[in-house]
Amino acid sequence: QVQLVESGGGLVQAGGSLRLSCAASARVRSIDRAGWYRQAPGKQRELVAEIIDTERTNYADSVKGRFTISRDNAKNTVNLQMNSLKPEDTAVYYCNALVRTSILHYLWGQGAQVTVSS
């Protein structure tokens, strides 16, 4: 059973950087679409960034110019580079992807805590 495994995250001071990675746990044909979401305490989960193919990306207004989503098709990984972090970026970050094996899977990662101190 293929899963999404997240890595990265942690504690950083405001203005710092972190990188999140999301990898398929088994051999897959492709990751058709992937996104990073976040959920802060008491708030709904929101889309932070998505990548639809190699070049098409979308970002929440709150992270434009600071976050960059990318993918490595050879490794079947999706990354989120987060720069100029702010305390309001503090949340659990979740990877979400449409992963293709012999069938199409709609998957979520386990979540990674990102905490930005002021």
Side-chain angles (χ1 to χ4, degrees):
Q1 179 76 13
V2 64
Q3 296 177 328
L4 295 178
V5 180
E6 299 179 28
S7 59
L11 173 64
V12 66
Q13 289 188 331
S17 298
L18 285 173
R19 182 179 177 89
L20 299 176
S21 291
C22 175
S25 63
R27 189 179 183 92
V28 302
R29 292 182 182 176
S30 64
I31 297 178
D32 290 358
R33 176 248 172 224
W36 285 95
Y37 293 73
R38 68 185 180 188
Q39 187 166 19
K43 295 187 177 181
Q44 289 190 332
R45 190 172 297 190
E46 63 174 354
L47 177 65
V48 175
E50 66 177 339
I51 184 164
I52 300 168
D53 51 37
T54 304
E55 297 180 354
R56 280 197 296 165
T57 57
N58 294 306
Y59 295 92
D61 288 342
S62 59
V63 307
K64 282 180 181 177
R66 300 188 297 122
F67 290 13
T68 302
I69 189 170
S70 63
R71 61 194 298 164
D72 184 331
N73 291 328
K75 296 180 179 179
N76 284 318
T77 59
V78 180
N79 305 304
L80 185 68
Q81 178 66 40
M82 304 182 290
N83 299 327
S84 302
L85 282 161
K86 305 175 180 180
E88 51 264 43
D89 294 319
T90 296
V92 178
Y93 284 70
Y94 297 91
C95 176
N96 169 260
L98 283 171
V99 176
R100 189 176 298 275
T101 58
S102 59
I103 61 173
L104 195 60
H105 307 261
Y106 181 77
L107 301 175
W108 287 92
Q110 79 277 15
Q113 178 68 48
V114 171
T115 303
V116 185
S117 63
S118 58

